[in-house]
């Protein structure tokens, strides 16, 4: 019998080392711990096991799940199941990427630093913004950080928030804003269409407004009238924060071209597996403005030269960061989501200019097809009408819970039950490029049965 | 050696992806969406083949140094070997292909795993409840401090606005306090590298909300007076926050809960060997004492009659800090690590981490200054001030010279309380040969600093790039290829 | 839509290249092909597909199999399901190992060459032989090559072959021997015990006998009296070829110490997945004899020095090989099983001295436990008695086919039905370290039910 | 850069594995087995930790050059990009965790896949039946030639004992003929790099069993007279064997079956991009014409009423050459490659392979001699004789100098008919930039050969090791660390 152990030293080597130190035994090394806080019993944790048993244990856990491979899922709402090219995992499992540390010693970290630089660049290309950071912890916390950043920048604490921003993002933003006394003003949706009342936003903005936050496409998959919003904000100091889905930007006009000051969001759809919600990566990009840059949270990789004039990359603008600036830092963020950044960079590179447009087109066309078929069913209302990217809000005569139950029995997860967010009723249905026409037709005919 | 940018491989019309037929009838999106919302121009992403992408990122990887490349003695970072089996487990499709909004009854396997993980983390720290939501150590600090502030406010102590931080603390501690709207009060370490009780007593007034502390601290020294420290803070009405960055030092020997800490965060990517990934993803679970339970982030993973569920009915919760359930896949690896090691294995981890650090320190103290003579735990701090004073060779120079020998450097210039600090943490997964080798190289560099200081000052000589101009990078930021 | 394509050049680049060559179109490049052999229609092969569809297609195929993960298998007979440490696949998927070529340019192939050298060394340690080659195509062809090698060495063509050698290996040896007119004399088993009649072997050997071939443990898992055999052969020129299972050599005296001239066999059990029979790797090791070495088939990696005196590795003794010696080569072998060699080397390294003994002990003890329980059942005969390593021959009152049917219905693959080899009846039952006591007890109680 | 041997990491008592408890009662094996059969001493394997093993093989890998590192223009080896998705497919547990003796009804998924693969291989080559059993190209040759010999014998022609091989053939061809007990008759190429029909006519007498041929041949030249060649051999009573090493040149354009070859072997690891693995595993399926079907290795994968099975009732079969079913996992990758490419994709592969070769040749012929001016297919042979004659720089020197530029070298000194040969095959997965870059480096080396021949002769200068002493290695073989 031998349990897993990654310790190299043998008993004999430990003896030699103890004797070099001048200690009797290993316990002696812990003698600085006062008696009264010394743990006098073993942990109540099972004893270790072999690698073989461990793998079996994990497989047993997996078998008690019903994974997306075993049911036809239409869940989205901020976490999207796109096809992940095989190369991503092969490359990211290069130990040089996944077992390395934050690139503090730039000379032995050029791989990470250049990858971050390329990620930053591709995020800028996609969002139309001037500067991207090296990721934040997820889409939700990125929205929180964006709000704090806008508040710091404008020295104001009022934020106008569209109620069509993902409920979880709004909740995280409030958590982030709370200790800074950010005053959130949430603007309602239209009654007929799942978009915010832009006029009400415009009315709510005043000179003290640090930021307006809208989502694009919004939580319900619909396109807000950002053009109008930007026209109204253009001459104000209020920062326009656009929470954008990066896959949608394969088709939609980038936030940078629509006047966004800060584009932010969840970059999981770029090459990252659904993973029950994490690890994901928040992206945050800003217009090309040095003053705004100084308020930006998170790491940045910059291109520079070495003493022989060769190009190289370093972490830069570190004086914004906690390890240098401590209590005056722009954020406390330290570890971010670098390996997810690597995956997103590989994904953007592999799909490229044409592929990203193609994925977006798949999403759009297939969603439209499903939505059109469903709209014909009796007892179904598509709240979005024609306004959607790859997600729509469906109301049914029967409750969402009933629909979900009936569909699951028939092998389909029909969408996210909106009632869990406590605001509206119905299902939020997402379609990605992974669906075939056959799946969509099956969804329609199954729902027809369940509705009866 | 240098690798071009991916965009330099780009050629118009080249592609490296594949997708099925769309199959469904296609419509012009312009029929349904406003014209302004549709891109005029394709995104300026590279146009490259699969071969290009594979070769590019393979080449980039070769410019990096990982734990599998050799010793990585970054103090406070706990760069230990990352078990391959954990990566396999975190890639089992039945564990990864789960959507965060799936019905709870479909994810009972994973929820039971996470629930067990919570129990282990509570046991290891001696705390009562755990939130898995924070996605990194600093995120955990942020949550932990907010828990404290919400608790205080709820108990009519909302006016407290000071957080005490020792001068040896990680930068995240004061930064977190600021994010939480607190004023930071820094107290000096005493000449033994520990908290000065008198200073603390003075700082701990009626405004104090919390003391943030690491134990063993960033000098690798155990704060022996921890119970007195806790008493002083508690008596003043504040709470104790434990920065779990150094948990690798004391597993099975001492628990923050037993030291009377109220809140602790873990760094699963440090202690439990889920890899650092070049800077994340990490995971920073927070563990709290009984009375703080109501304030932790919602929803809370709970169990009733062998069914696991997310309890959202938490009226006093501070809210959410992550859109979903935190860094789940990182938790899978931490769970695998803990179950593989087991109770006895975790204790052996700390024993060997401490033994390795003490042994390595012993090998180095003839050549380098040791600012504090106290017993070290899993890391120690030596100083290059002698080399700087006598030969003008800085700790930065020494670190760069180490790279020439294909060794990663210790954490340098931290903690701030030590001049020319080299904070060194070999971890338990290095062996004696590896430590001896590192020590020999350090001694060689000490000799080189005497005999050929200019050469050391111009290091690195063998790395993929030479010394990079950081000042220029900050002056004229080039952050995007566009 | 876009199918998989790994071609980098665009249409425009192709035009540029054609124009540089001076060709009108790509068809022109094929104009040397005479009209009458030009294919004038597309292949009757389905059109290509996307990576996503391809993965789904493969998964559908997998779902139509019943894999060892889904049934409790006791199949062995030359292919063994041992636990494979996780590190093997991680390391072997380093592209530097699996996408490289045969190490003809030694300077850029030191990784492969040193790994082969270490494999050769560890095979020698395990077998007690002096020289190992860099692998042959599998255990069966390795036996064939060993026979041809012995014939070349002794300039004789008579081979005495034990009938307890794996039937497939015997068949392959005969195929290899046929064009060289090797005369095989097959010696029968004892009637009571599944071992060969060693005295008959000894009687059959004469001055013209090139080799004697025995298996260790033999096909039925039993230990032949190799000591006696070697005593009889010691002073003859006849080469003793021992076909040995390398896992068993964690416990058993190595062939080298038992006087083998050539140790040969299937090294799949060292770190290679069962993979429906391939790719596996044949190992072949000989006593330390320069003359014999010159007759050896296959590649060899040797340690040498470079012009600065640094150690390095090269393919050596290449004058035995086809790319140098052509029709006078010792074998036609070119590509061998290098990646399997890498896996075997990692496995031997990872398990190490203690681990390999431990695996062998697991196999032996668990096999003995199962065999003892089964021996108590009515209607079961264990032909091996106590003579076994990790496999035994079980006869039952009911036919093997009936037993197999009943056991499979209850989730157990009880062993290899020996009748398929056309020589004897019964089941060959294998137990590796992957079985738990619970599995073995379940086997026993299930068989009891099936026997009724 | 140099990595110690694994045994140099060994320390008594160190381990790097884990196993469960044995659980069952243990007995002393000595009670049941003879004493002589039990090891006195443990096998002298290394005693190392998991970390040691991982770092060791990671370091070793860094001393290698793979296709993902860059161009690999080895003529006749077809070093193209190896799709990552194929590796994933070949690791699906439902495909890999199959035992060769499982009941056929449990492996219908895999058998259907192999059966389809057989059909594709028959179609691509224009043959009628396929055996998947041979585990490499040379193994395929061995099987193919034995099929021919068994057929001849069965038809009363067993006395034929000659195999004709052109002087440009791979070494495996004559070596295989010898293993099959045949006499090798080598015929010279004509001045256009092709078979001389008169020579062939002369060699093709009543003793000829077979002609072994590659087409396009190893000079990258298509044997235009292939139908006449076939007629000559067939009229003499011999059969035609096609060495499939160069199939990457002609897919969708010409099929060996239509050229009247009787037997062909494939190298799945070449044409169908299952990686070479540093020298295997490969797979060498053999395809035959109708009349040779009875002789192929047994068992034969067959189909009846949608059920797939191994047909062992093949009385005329040559027998087995592999214990089980050949290199199955390699076949999985070839199947994935063929299905991913499809009919049109395979044709595009050959088109681009041929275009790349012709383009690269065009870039090089100003600096290097081109011995045969004929049209090239997927590879071409240039000669360094000018450099050797004028500057004493050999092709070997040029090859080693290429390594300094981090380019793999062409196949050198083969085919034997060309002095100072450099047989160059870029494959379809290289792009124009990569070819231009390689050509530029070759031109630079040609210039260096003029200007600084000594430097080129002493290459490599930048590789992990310098020029290795092969003569010493052969004189005093050190093949084992023991």
């Amino acid at each position: 019998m031998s349990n897993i152990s990654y310790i190299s030293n043998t008993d004999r080597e430990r003896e030699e080392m103890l004797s070099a130190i001048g200690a009797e035994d290993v316990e002696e090394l812990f003698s600085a711990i006062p008696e009264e806080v010394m743990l006098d019993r073993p942990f109540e944790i099972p004893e270790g096991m072999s690698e073989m048993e461990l793998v079996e244990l994990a497989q047993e856990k997996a078998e008690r799940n019903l994974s997306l491979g075993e049911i036809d899922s239409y869940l989205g709402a901020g976490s999207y199941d796109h096809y992940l090219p095989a190369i991503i995992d092969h490359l990211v499992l290069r130990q040089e990427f996944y077992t390395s540390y934050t690139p503090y010693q730039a000379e032995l970290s050029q791989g990470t630093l250049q990858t971050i630089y390329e990620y930053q660049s591709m995020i800028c290309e996609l969002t139309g913004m001037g500067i991207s950071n090296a990721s934040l912890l997820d889409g939700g916390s990125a929205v929180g950080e964006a709000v704090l950043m806008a508040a710091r920048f404008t020295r104001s604490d009022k934020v106008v928030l569209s109620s069509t921003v993902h409920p979880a993002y709004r909740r995280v933003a409030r958590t982030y804003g709370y200790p800074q006394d950010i005053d959130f003003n949430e603007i309602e949706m239209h009654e007929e269409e799942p978009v915010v009342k832009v006029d009400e936003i415009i009315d709510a903005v005043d000179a003290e407004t640090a930021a307006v936050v809208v989502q694009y496409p919004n939580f319900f998959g619909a396109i807000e009238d950002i053009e109008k919003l930007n026209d109204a904000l253009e001459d104000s100091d209020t920062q326009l924060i656009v929470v954008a889905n990066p896959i949608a930007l394969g088709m939609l006009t980038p936030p940078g071209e629509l006047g966004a000051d800060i584009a932010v969001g969840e970059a999981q759809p770029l090459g990252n597996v659904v993973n029950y919600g994490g690890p994901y990566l928040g992206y945050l990009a800003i217009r090309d403005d040095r003053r705004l840059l100084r308020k930006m949270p998170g790491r940045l990789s910059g291109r520079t030269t070495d003493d022989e004039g060769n190009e190289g990359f370093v972490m830069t603008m570190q004086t914004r960061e906690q390890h240098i600036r401590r209590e005056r830092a722009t954020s406390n963020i330290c570890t971010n989501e670098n390996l997810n950044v690597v995956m997103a960079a590989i994904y953007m590179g592999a799909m490229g200019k044409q592929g990203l447009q193609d994925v977006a087109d798949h999403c759009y066309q297939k969603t439209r097809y499903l939505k059109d078929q469903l709209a014909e069913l009796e007892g179904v209302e598509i709240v979005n009408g024609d306004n959607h990217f790859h997600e729509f809000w469906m109301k049914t005569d029967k409750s969402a819970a009933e629909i979900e139950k009936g569909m699951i029995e028939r092998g389909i997860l029909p969408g996210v039950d909106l009632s869990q967010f406590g605001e509206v009723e119905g299902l939020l249905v997402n379609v990605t490029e992974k669906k075939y026409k056959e799946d969509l037709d099956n969804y329609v005919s199954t729902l027809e049965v369940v509705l009866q | 050696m240098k690798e071009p940018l991916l965009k330099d491989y780009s050629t118009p019309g080249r592609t490296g992806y594949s997708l099925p037929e769309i199959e469904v009838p296609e419509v012009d999106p312009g029929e349904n969406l406003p014209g302004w919302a549709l891109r005029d121009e394709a995104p300026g992403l590279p146009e490259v083949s699969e071969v290009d992408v594979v070769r590019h990122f393979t080449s980039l990887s070769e410019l990096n140094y990982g734990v599998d490349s050799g010793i990585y003695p970054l103090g406070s970072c706990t760069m230990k070997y990352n078990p391959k089996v954990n990566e396999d487990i975190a890639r089992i499709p039945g564990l990864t292909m789960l959507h965060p909004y799936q019905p709870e009854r479909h994810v009972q396997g994973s929820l039971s795993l996470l629930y067990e993980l919570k129990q282990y983390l509570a046991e290891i720290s001696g705390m009562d409840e755990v939130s898995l939501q924070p996605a990194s150590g600093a995120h955990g600090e942020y949550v932990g401090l907010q828990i404290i502030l919400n608790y205080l406010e709820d108990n009519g102590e909302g006016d407290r606005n000071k957080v005490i931080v020792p001068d040896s603390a990680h930068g995240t501690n004061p930064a977190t306090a600021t994010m939480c709207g607190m004023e930071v009060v820094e107290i000096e370490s005493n000449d033994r590298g520990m908290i000065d009780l008198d200073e603390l007593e003075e700082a701990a007034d009626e405004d104090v909300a919390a003391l943030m502390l690491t134990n063993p601290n960033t000098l690798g020294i155990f704060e022996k007076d921890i119970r007195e420290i806790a008493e002083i803070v508690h008596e003043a009405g504040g709470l104790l926050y434990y920065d779990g960055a150094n948990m690798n030092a004391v597993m099975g020997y001492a628990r923050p809960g037993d030291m009377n800490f109220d809140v602790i965060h873990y760094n699963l990517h440090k202690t439990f060997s889920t890899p650092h990934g070049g800077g994340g993803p990490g995971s920073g679970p927070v563990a709290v004492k009984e009375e703080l339970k109501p304030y932790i982030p919602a929803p809370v993973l709970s169990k009733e009659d062998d069914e696991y569920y997310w309890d959202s009915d938490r009226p006093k919760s501070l809210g959410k800090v992550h859109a979903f359930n935190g860094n789940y896949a990182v938790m899978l690896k931490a769970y695998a690590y803990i179950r593989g090691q087991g109770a006895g294995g975790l204790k052996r981890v700390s024993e060997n981490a401490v033994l390795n650090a003490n042994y390595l320190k012993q090998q180095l103290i003839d050549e380098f200054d040791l600012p504090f003579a106290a017993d070290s735990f899993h890391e120690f701090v030596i100083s290059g001030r002698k080399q700087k004073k006598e030969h003008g060779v800085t700790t930065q120079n020494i670190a760069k010279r180490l790279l020439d020998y294909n060794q990663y450097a210790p954490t340098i210039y931290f903690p701030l309380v030590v001049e020319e600090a080299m904070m060194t943490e070999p971890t338990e997964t290095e062996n004696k040969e590896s430590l001896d080798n590192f020590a020999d190289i350090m001694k060689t560099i000490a000799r080189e600093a005497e005999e050929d200081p200019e050469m050391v000052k111009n290091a690195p000589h063998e790395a993929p790039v030479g010394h990079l101009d950081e000042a220029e990078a900050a002056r004229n930021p080039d952050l995007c290829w566009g």
Side-chain angles (χ1 to χ4, degrees), chain A residues 69-179:
Chain A
E70 299 161 290
I71 191 163
D72 190 26
S73 161
Y74 295 81
L75 305 184
S79 168
Y80 300 100
D81 181 20
H82 291 285
Y83 181 71
L84 307 180
I87 61 168
I88 296 176
D89 219 38
H90 284 262
L91 292 169
V92 96
L93 272 174
R94 300 266 312 166
Q95 68 89 14
E96 295 88 341
F97 282 128
Y98 84 91
T99 81
S100 58
Y101 196 72
T102 302
Y104 286 123
Q105 293 291 350
E107 291 87 348
L108 289 194
S109 312
Q110 288 295 301
T112 294
L113 286 163
Q114 185 171 336
T115 302
I116 293 173
Y117 180 85
E118 295 185 356
Y119 162 86
Q120 290 171 178
S121 300
M122 291 191 279
I123 289 290
C124 287
E125 296 286 4
L126 211 45
T127 57
M129 307 301 288
I131 301 168
S132 161
N133 76 2
S135 83
L136 294 168
L137 297 172
D138 81 327
S141 62
V143 174
E145 294 269 17
V147 164
L148 295 186
M149 177 187 173
R152 272 195 306 277
F153 182 66
T154 57
R155 296 170 193 256
S156 305
D157 56 12
K158 284 172 63 181
V159 171
V160 179
L161 185 58
S162 164
S163 62
T164 59
V165 170
H166 194 304
Y169 296 178
R170 281 181 280 146
R171 191 132 188 239
V172 175
R174 285 178 182 278
T175 307
Y176 270 73
Y178 179 74

Side-chain angles (χ1 to χ4, degrees), chain B residues 311-360:
Chain B
D311 178 13
S312 295
D313 184 18
R314 310 287 291 201
K316 292 190 173 180
S317 164
L318 63 88
K320 283 182 82 64
V321 293
H322 189 273
F324 301 111
N325 316 299
N327 281 350
Y328 163 80
V330 179
M331 300 170 208
L332 294 180
K333 298 179 202 180
Y335 176 84
Y337 184 78
I338 293 172
R339 289 303 303 266
Q341 294 299 317
L346 293 175
K347 189 172 178 180
R348 277 190 296 278
V349 161
S350 287
E351 288 177 348
N352 282 277
V354 170
L355 175 59
N356 277 358
N358 278 279
Y359 177 75
L360 182 57

Side-chain angles (χ1 to χ4, degrees), chain A residues 7 9 11 14 17-18 21 25-30 33 38-39, chain B residues 80 247-253 341 343-359 376-379 426-430 435:
Chain A
I7 291 166
N9 283 324
D11 286 345
R14 270 187 287 272
M17 290 164 71
L18 282 167
I21 300 167
D25 53 27
V26 80
E27 285 77 15
E28 196 182 317
L29 303 177
F30 291 84
I33 301 176
M38 188 73 95
L39 187 66
Chain B
K80 56 171 80 175
M247 273 305 290
N248 210 47
V250 292
M251 284 189 294
Y253 277 91
Q341 294 299 317
L346 293 175
K347 189 172 178 180
R348 277 190 296 278
V349 161
S350 287
E351 288 177 348
N352 282 277
V354 170
L355 175 59
N356 277 358
N358 278 279
Y359 177 75
S376 292
F377 273 72
H378 69 306
E379 67 188 6
T427 86
E428 74 281 2
T429 55
E430 295 304 317
L435 302 175

